[in-house]
């Protein structure tokens, strides 16, 4: 190993292979059976449970936990998966601390919620390890549906449609299906190639064809899909990245956080992933935290996460903020980037302190930076899409767009937070409506 | 600090906590450790006749019922009496008693239902210096099939007969251990009294099957694909045991018969409850088998603290204090009216009270849109189910209505006077008398 955290510039191999393996291990190691039973015993089986209300996919949480407690985790998994076919991934990436676990009555009473997310993982992992796919495809209807985007929304939609016997073709521009599950989530949240394994398992329902390397405007047109299929679902995600709009943004070393996260996830050897010595991440959401934490785990000496508003306004949950802090990420708030300095490559980034209303205070600070990651939001890209609202495809409660026969869901569509679990719910619900209209 | 020394039918011990006759008291090694740990006495694991000892199964002896976090709530066993030679036990008992003269050492005995057998063995055992005998008429498995244990305990005439033989054979106190596997505990208790027993101890274990292996289709504990009923004990049996203790304590004929309370005693509070119902001391087994001998330290400190707080200087101060308040249903005051009250500050909004009341009781709890749970006084019959299912202790309480206060359920003001079923107008026998 020739490099270390102290090495200047953007270089690979700052840490040993052993250190990297340890750093990128499962954030929450799986519960073993004993731990799961202990955790399940804490559930009160609440009436009309608040956790269930808080789940975007309405999983019957008290029921599945009781099924774990009574020794039938496979039944628990079926309870979960019937509402959320990507329940395995959601168990790993859901910000449970702001969803089900936030409203768990034991969180309210004791500050210690039932470990709903980890129990969900225990159940779904158990079922998936058995190799069983718990759903059966209805007799083929002969109807054809095109799903654009093999992310959580598209996969959820496709699976539900396939269950009803429709023939589904899922298109995705990338080389692999999975969307953000495969490309957009920190590695330590989805170890052992889980996203790909989950897709393979999901496809066991049958009736789904995945065609990769095809995106709208690049080998695929909405018009031809409308002509060739009985219905179309758009789960495009957000393909564009917001720019900072400051001087020097074009300098070498200024990158998009989503690309960094994606490259890291797809890297066959973490020791080959380059990272700066002084890394600055700009943004306050999950993407910013995922980038900052992973930069630190790769061996960056200094990692700062800089957000223009106060900590309470960050989209990243308190758990995520604490995770970042615990890994040694410095969180700086109320600072907006004003200039990126350097001769060809970035050397420093300059911020101006702002108040909570983003008014400039006149005070500035410069941070050493040989790498800057932008994580200030993503945008929908594409022409000829159905009507937009606020930069997203406008949909009604059932996912219908302004164009008859085209539904949309997930991050590209209006409604709900940009979360995996929300995308799964929207894909599922759109599929239900599509099925009704196909009948 | 309260004086915990105990005098039970003349048998003195540093405290009222004895280890019951069971595996923990099977040999010198355990009993010495028990005394060192603080136990006031032990009832030595049941001795049988001279000669080849009984044999135990060589597979599992215990089955269990667990609560949350595998807390052991109930245990059953298919173990027999001591499987070590009589002379070995007697030698060990002699040594232990010599070294612990101030601790109680009771010999549990079970021999065939023949006069000679009992009259022969008791004097032999007495030579160990033991403080008394406990006649094991309770074991429900194995020995019962050979005409011993609960096979004797289920026939009051046998109890009386054997107790009399034993009293004739020894001057030491004789305690008769009762089986709960009968219809009415008073019959065996009265028989023991007639036979001259100095005390009864209860309960022995309850006939039970704790679980079924659904793969093999066999009861558990399972021995080579088969199981048998075992004796059930542990916290789960405490309510059954306490009722039987109370029945004996409040029965005029047996009211003065000393009782050694047994059955799921796990904490100082359990012990105090048994004693309040009339037990002069208590015996413990499952709690020690679950947590080890050290638990007696909590029992000692807890009982002492409680006695100090209540101003009791001796355990005899409170033994039987609750007995007069154990009555028949027909004497309960029907004019005593309470209503459930939910403390909103303590409520964690789990809704279990609502589900229980709405689905299985009187639809007397209202749930608002924002999960505020309130009691509907006009529906509440004060059943206490909500109190019992609430996970937060003290969150739901029962408020007693004052005389004159309106009971919104009946539309009647609360009567000030006591009025029970025997004088209630709906009671047919009251009308018949008029």
């Amino acid at each position: 190993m020739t490099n270390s955290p102290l090495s200047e510039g953007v270089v690979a191999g700052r840490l040993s292979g052993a250190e990297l393996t340890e750093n990128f291990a499962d954030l929450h190691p799986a519960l073993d059976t004993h731990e799961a039973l202990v955790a399940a015993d804490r559930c009160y089986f609440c009436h009309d449970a608040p956790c269930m209300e808080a789940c975007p996919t309405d999983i019957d949480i008290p029921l599945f936990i009781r099924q774990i407690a009574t020794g039938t985790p496979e039944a628990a998994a079926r309870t979960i998966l019937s509402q959320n076919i990507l329940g395995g991934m959601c168990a790993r990436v859901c910000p449970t601390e702001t969803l089900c676990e936030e409203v768990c009555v034991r969180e309210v009473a004791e500050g210690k919620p039932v470990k709903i997310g980890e129990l969900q993982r225990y159940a779904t992992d158990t079922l998936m390890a058995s190799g069983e796919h718990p759903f059966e495809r209805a007799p083929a209807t002969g109807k054809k549906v095109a799903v654009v985007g093999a992310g959580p929304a598209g996969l959820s939609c496709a699976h539900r449609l396939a269950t009803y016997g429709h023939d589904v073709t899922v298109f995705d521009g990338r080389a692999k299906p999975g969307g953000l599950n495969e490309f957009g989530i920190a590695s330590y949240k989805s170890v052992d190639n889980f996203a790909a394994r989950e897709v393979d398992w999901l496809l066991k329902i049958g009736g789904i064809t995945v065609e990769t390397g095809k995106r709208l405007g690049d080998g695929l047109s909405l018009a031809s899909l409308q002509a060739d299929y009985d219905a179309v679902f758009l789960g495009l995600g957000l393909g564009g990245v917001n720019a900072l709009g400051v001087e020097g943004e074009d300098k070498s070393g200024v990158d998009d956080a989503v690309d960094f996260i994606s490259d890291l996830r797809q890297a066959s050897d973490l020791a080959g992933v380059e990272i700066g010595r002084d890394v600055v991440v700009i943004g306050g959401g999950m993407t910013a935290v995922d980038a900052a934490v992973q930069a630190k785990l790769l061996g960056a000496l200094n990692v700062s996460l800089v957000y223009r508003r106060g900590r309470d306004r960050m989209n990243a949950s308190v758990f995520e903020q604490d995770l970042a802090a615990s890994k040694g990420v410095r969180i700086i708030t109320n600072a907006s980037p004003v200039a990126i300095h350097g001769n060809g490559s970035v050397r420093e980034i300059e911020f101006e302190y702002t108040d909570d209303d983003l008014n400039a205070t006149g005070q500035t600070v410069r941070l050493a930076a040989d790498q800057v990651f932008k994580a200030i939001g993503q945008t929908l890209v594409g022409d000829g899409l159905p009507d937009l609202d606020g930069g997203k495809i406008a949909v009604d409660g059932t996912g219908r767009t302004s164009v008859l026969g085209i539904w949309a869901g997930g991050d590209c569509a209006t409604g709900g937070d940009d979360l995996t679990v929300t995308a799964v719910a929207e894909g599922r619900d759109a599929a239900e409506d599509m099925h009704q209209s196909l009948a | 600090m309260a004086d915990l020394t105990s005098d039970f039918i003349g048998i003195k011990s540093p405290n009222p906590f004895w280890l019951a006759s069971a595996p923990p008291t099977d040999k010198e090694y355990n009993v010495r450790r028990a005394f060192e740990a603080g136990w006031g006495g032990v009832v030595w694991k049941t001795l049988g006749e001279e000669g080849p000892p009984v044999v135990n199964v060589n597979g599992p002896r215990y089955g269990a019922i667990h609560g949350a976090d595998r807390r052991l709530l109930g245990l059953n066993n298919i173990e027999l009496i001591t499987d070590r030679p009589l002379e070995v036990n007697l030698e060990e008992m002699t040594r232990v008693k010599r070294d612990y003269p101030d601790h109680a050492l009771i010999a549990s005995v079970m021999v065939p239902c023949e006069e000679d057998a009992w009259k022969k063995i008791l004097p032999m055992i007495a030579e160990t210096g033991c403080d008394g005998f406990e006649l094991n008429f309770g074991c429900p498995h194995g020995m019962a099939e050979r005409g011993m244990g609960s096979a004797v305990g289920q026939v009051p005439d046998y109890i009386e007969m054997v107790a009399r033989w034993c009293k004739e054979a020894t001057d030491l106190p004789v305690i008769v251990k009762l089986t709960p596997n009968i219809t009415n505990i008073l019959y065996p208790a009265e028989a023991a009294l007639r036979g001259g027993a100095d005390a009864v101890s209860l309960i022995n274990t309850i006939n039970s099957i704790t679980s079924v292996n659904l793969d093999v289709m066999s009861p558990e504990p399972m021995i080579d694909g088969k199981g048998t009923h075992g004796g059930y004990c542990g916290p789960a049996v405490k309510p059954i045991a306490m009722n039987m203790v109370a029945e004996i304590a409040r029965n005029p004929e047996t009211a003065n018969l000393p009782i050694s309370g047994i059955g799921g005693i796990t904490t100082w509070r359990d012990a105090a409850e048994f004693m309040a119902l009339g037990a002069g001391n208590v015996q413990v087994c499952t709690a020690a088998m679950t947590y080890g001998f050290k638990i007696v330290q909590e029992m000692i400190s807890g009982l002492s603290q409680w006695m100090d707080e209540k101003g009791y200087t001796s355990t005899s101060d409170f033994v039987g204090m609750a007995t007069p308040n154990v009555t028949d249903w027909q004497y309960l005051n029907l004019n005593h009216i309470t209503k459930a009250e939910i403390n909103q500050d303590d409520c964690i909004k789990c809704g279990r009270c609502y589900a229980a009341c709405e689905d299985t009781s009187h639809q007397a709890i209202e749930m608002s849109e924002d999960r505020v749970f309130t009691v509907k006084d006009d529906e509440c019959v004060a059943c206490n189910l909500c109190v019992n299912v609430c996970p937060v202790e003290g969150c739901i309480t029962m408020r007693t209505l004052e005389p004159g206060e309106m009971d919104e359920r009946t539309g009647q003001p609360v009567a000030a006077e006591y009025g029970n079923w025997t004088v209630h107008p709906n009671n047919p026998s009251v009308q018949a008398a008029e």
Side-chain angles (χ1 to χ4, degrees), chain A residues 34 38 41 43-50 105-106 108-109, chain B residues 67-70 348-352 354-355 367 371 373 391:
Chain A
H34 171 72
V38 171
D41 273 340
C43 175
Y44 284 144
F45 204 74
C46 293
H47 172 77
D48 199 6
V105 299
R106 299 203 80 152
V108 177
Chain B
D69 210 1
R70 272 183 75 80
I348 60 171
K349 305 192 189 308
C350 68
R352 277 167 51 160
Y354 176 82
M367 174 179 173
R371 297 185 76 80
F373 298 90

Side-chain angles (χ1 to χ4, degrees), chain A residues 186-243:
Chain A
S187 294
Y188 48 77
K189 293 179 185 172
S190 172
V191 300
D192 299 331
N193 210 23
F194 180 78
R197 287 192 287 121
E198 187 178 42
V199 172
D200 289 344
W201 170 87
L202 177 148
L203 294 176
K204 286 184 183 175
I205 186 69
I208 303 175
T209 307
V210 178
E211 294 194 21
T212 53
K214 291 184 180 174
R215 70 182 82 222
L216 285 182
D218 182 10
L220 217 57
S221 84
L222 204 46
S224 63
L225 290 177
Q226 286 178 278
D228 295 343
Y229 292 87
D230 298 302
V232 178
F233 176 81
L234 301 177
L236 310 171
L238 301 173
V241 174
N242 286 328

Side-chain angles (χ1 to χ4, degrees), chain B residues 2-3 18 68 82 110 162-163 223 280 286 301 307 337 360 380 393:
Chain B
D3 176 14
W18 292 2
T82 184
M110 182 196 290
V162 177
I223 309 291
T286 309
S301 65
M307 286 172 62
I337 297 173
T360 70
C380 178
E393 190 173 356

Side-chain angles (χ1 to χ4, degrees), chain A residues 263-295:
Chain A
D263 291 347
L264 186 75
R265 272 293 292 280
Q266 300 305 314
S268 55
D269 179 10
L270 289 171
V273 178
E274 295 182 338
I275 193 68
R277 185 183 76 172
D278 303 303
V279 177
V280 176
V281 181
I282 302 168
M286 296 291 202
T287 301
V289 171
D290 281 0
V293 169
Q294 294 192 108

Side-chain angles (χ1 to χ4, degrees), chain A residues 161-437:
Chain A
L161 288 167
T163 307
Y164 285 126
H166 306 304
D167 288 321
V168 186
T169 306
V170 182
F171 300 95
D172 199 281
R174 304 227 203 202
K176 281 198 247 180
L180 290 183
N181 287 358
E182 178 60 48
F183 297 95
I185 285 163
S187 294
Y188 48 77
K189 293 179 185 172
S190 172
V191 300
D192 299 331
N193 210 23
F194 180 78
R197 287 192 287 121
E198 187 178 42
V199 172
D200 289 344
W201 170 87
L202 177 148
L203 294 176
K204 286 184 183 175
I205 186 69
I208 303 175
T209 307
V210 178
E211 294 194 21
T212 53
K214 291 184 180 174
R215 70 182 82 222
L216 285 182
D218 182 10
L220 217 57
S221 84
L222 204 46
S224 63
L225 290 177
Q226 286 178 278
D228 295 343
Y229 292 87
D230 298 302
V232 178
F233 176 81
L234 301 177
L236 310 171
L238 301 173
V241 174
N242 286 328
L244 295 174
V246 300
E247 188 189 332
E249 192 169 348
D250 55 346
K251 291 189 190 304
S252 167
V254 181
D255 302 314
D256 290 331
V258 291
D259 292 337
F260 167 61
I261 291 167
S262 173
D263 291 347
L264 186 75
R265 272 293 292 280
Q266 300 305 314
S268 55
D269 179 10
L270 289 171
V273 178
E274 295 182 338
I275 193 68
R277 185 183 76 172
D278 303 303
V279 177
V280 176
V281 181
I282 302 168
M286 296 291 202
T287 301
V289 171
D290 281 0
V293 169
Q294 294 192 108
K296 192 70 194 169
L297 298 180
L298 281 173
L301 184 66
N302 298 304
V303 178
S304 303
L305 185 154
V306 188
Y307 178 56
R308 59 182 179 161
R309 298 183 194 269
R311 227 167 139 150
D312 56 325
R313 301 278 293 273
M314 287 174 72
N315 272 334
S317 67
V318 171
F319 171 83
E320 293 284 339
Q321 295 176 32
D322 290 347
L323 173 70
S326 75
K327 299 296 181 189
V329 173
R330 177 186 180 200
I331 298 177
I332 300 170
T333 55
N334 290 100
S336 288
V338 291
I340 293 173
H341 304 287
N343 183 12
S345 297
V346 57
R347 294 297 301 271
E348 283 185 321
I349 177 164
E350 185 175 353
F351 293 90
E352 179 162 21
Y353 286 112
T354 54
D355 65 17
D356 279 341
D357 297 321
L358 299 182
N359 296 313
T361 60
Q363 296 193 52
T364 61
V365 63
R366 286 187 177 208
L367 298 178
D370 42 29
Q371 196 164 29
V372 172
F373 290 125
K374 297 178 284 185
I376 57 167
Q378 290 141 257
T379 54
L380 176 62
V381 289
D383 301 319
L385 295 171
D387 291 349
L388 304 186
D389 178 12
K392 292 191 168 194
I393 299 171
V395 292
D396 67 10
T398 59
R400 294 185 186 204
T401 68
S402 60
V403 180
L404 188 65
I406 300 180
W407 283 256
D411 291 357
C412 73
T414 55
D417 295 323
D418 288 353
L419 294 173
T420 303
V421 65
T422 306
V424 171
E426 290 170 358
R428 175 198 70 191
D429 294 345
E432 290 290 342
D433 190 57
M434 295 165 86
H435 173 63
Q436 293 298 323
S437 71

Side-chain angles (χ1 to χ4, degrees), chain B residues 17 113 200 241 298 327 357:
Chain B
F17 306 114
C113 208
V200 290
E298 164 267 308
T327 187
C357 193

